Amino acid sequence: METRILKGRPVAAEIREEVSMRSKALRNRGVVPTLSIVQVGDDSASEIYSSSIRKAGDKHGVNVVLSALSKESSAMDVAERIAALGADPSVHGIIVLEPLPHGIPSDVLEGIPPAKDVDGATVRNLGLLVAGRSSYAPCTAQAVVEMLVRSGIEISGRHVVIVGRSPVVGRPLANMLLRKADNANATVTVCHTGTRDLSAHTRAADILVAAMGVPEAIRGDMLADGVVIVDVGVNRIDDPSSERGYRVVGDVAFDEALSVAAAITPVPGGVGTLTTSLLLLNTVDAAMRDDIKAP
Ligand code: NAP
């Protein structure tokens, strides 16, 4: 079987084109779509993520503003900054970069107003998803759905098996796919470390989403012929033959899946490529909703 490789780049380009068109329309009405990034401390991964969001924003008409706080900031300082951005009518989206420095509970994120919570980080937005109502989902979970839908893969009526139940991927994704909507309406099974006989579940999947954080844990013999695989995992493994001494792999043994799966997302270059674009798309969406509400 020829396995289709579902690359993220063309899908991300399509989303960015939509961002550019919508931000242009907003700017023509005098609205500058604005995303605030709250970054506390100097975590290097956060620095890289924040700079890639700013670069993408510059290119596609979204004003991305860094709201930096020192690593000595208290939980109150962070909460006050989030509250100020929440009350600022020129800010349409807010993302707080994690990990937060030790001593700052992730509860501070709950101060983001749901309408500005463009990365679906708050319990309120997760609750709306569980209730089947419209809300922003975490961009990684959204990336899985966008990848499937924009690649023309039918979700409705199919059995989606998700391995992983974290609040940023597995749980929101399961609830997104359960919605009675055209691009959802799936039968969903969620697996985790307490699941007995994981292979029996993965082999029953029409669509398999791996979000475990365990390198190449899903082997070829755990897959059914013709399965569609979305690999969310991003894992570094030692590789002395590589210049950096490591390489990045997913949660699925890619080469073993190639002879079995109908389609698979690669790692790197798969769903991870979509998250920044979706963050911008959600910001533009939030700005449009706000514009419609304005008197
Ligand atoms: P997480 O919070 O550590 O959750 C992992 C989930 O996988 C847990 O629910 C865990 O079960 C389950 N799990 C782990 N080992 C398992 C096993 N052997 N069998 C069955 N279930 C198992 O991780 P996460 O934040 O969801 O991230 C998952 C992966 O996605 C990571 O590789 C991460 O780097 C990647 N990720 C990528 C992006 C991106 O591309 N932008 C964003 C976020 C995450 P329990 O609940 O029972 O512990």
Side-chain angles (χ1 to χ4, degrees):
M1 173 184 303
E2 174 92 19
T3 304
R4 185 174 161 205
I5 310 296
L6 304 174
K7 291 194 180 155
R9 202 181 277 256
V11 180
E14 191 180 302
I15 295 168
R16 287 180 188 212
E17 184 59 35
E18 282 173 33
V19 172
S20 291
M21 273 166 46
R22 293 195 204 177
S23 60
K24 198 167 163 201
L26 280 162
R27 282 171 183 260
N28 285 343
R29 290 207 298 275
V31 177
V32 178
T34 298
L35 171 69
S36 272
I37 304 176
V38 178
Q39 188 180 337
V40 189
D42 48 14
D43 176 68
S44 58
S46 294
E47 300 261 355
I48 294 168
Y49 188 35
S50 134
S51 121
S52 79
I53 300 168
R54 276 181 288 156
K55 266 193 217 147
D58 276 354
K59 246 175 142 178
H60 300 283
V62 177
N63 179 33
V64 180
V65 183
L66 179 65
S67 187
L69 287 137
S70 78
K71 63 173 183 289
E72 286 79 30
S73 304
S74 66
M76 182 66 88
D77 296 332
V78 181
E80 280 175 4
R81 180 67 60 90
I82 292 172
L85 294 168
D88 182 344
S90 72
V91 173
H92 305 104
I94 302 170
I95 175 173
V96 179
L97 299 184
E98 295 187 87
L100 288 162
H102 186 69
I104 301 186
S106 53
D107 284 14
V108 289
L109 271 64
E110 301 307 324
I112 306 173
K116 296 189 181 188
D117 177 21
V118 288
D119 194 26
T122 60
V123 167
R124 174 84 195 273
N125 269 345
L126 183 59
L128 287 169
L129 271 185
V130 173
R133 309 237 315 257
S134 160
S135 78
Y136 295 115
C139 290
T140 306
Q142 196 183 345
V144 175
V145 177
E146 294 288 341
M147 177 63 96
L148 292 168
V149 171
R150 290 173 190 260
S151 303
I153 289 164
E154 177 91 44
I155 299 174
S156 182
R158 302 187 80 188
H159 182 201
V160 183
V161 176
I162 304 168
V163 190
R165 59 178 163 186
S166 79
V168 285
V169 192
R171 277 171 205 264
L173 177 61
N175 286 285
M176 289 172 87
L177 294 172
L178 278 175
R179 283 193 293 216
K180 204 166 181 174
D182 288 344
N183 56 4
N185 210 25
T187 301
V188 181
T189 299
V190 182
C191 301
H192 43 77
T193 55
T195 299
R196 288 187 196 158
D197 197 355
L198 181 63
S199 300
H201 292 283
T202 56
R203 272 192 224 109
D206 297 318
I207 299 172
L208 177 66
V209 181
M212 310 158 73
V214 183
E216 300 178 329
I218 307 285
R219 315 300 313 191
D221 63 1
M222 297 169 74
L223 305 168
D225 275 342
V227 65
V228 172
I229 302 172
V230 181
D231 193 349
V232 181
V234 180
N235 311 288
R236 276 186 185 189
I237 58 167
D238 291 342
D239 182 359
S241 71
S242 130
E243 209 174 284
R244 296 177 295 187
Y246 69 87
R247 65 193 162 89
V248 174
V249 298
D251 288 348
V252 178
F254 186 83
D255 290 344
E256 293 177 22
L258 279 184
S259 53
V260 188
I264 184 168
T265 61
V267 178
V271 274
T273 322
L274 307 189
T275 47
T276 304
S277 308
L278 289 169
L279 196 57
L280 297 180
L281 187 68
N282 290 349
T283 302
V284 170
D285 179 84
M288 283 183 147
R289 286 171 193 265
D290 190 56
D291 190 38
I292 291 165
K293 266 197 332 216

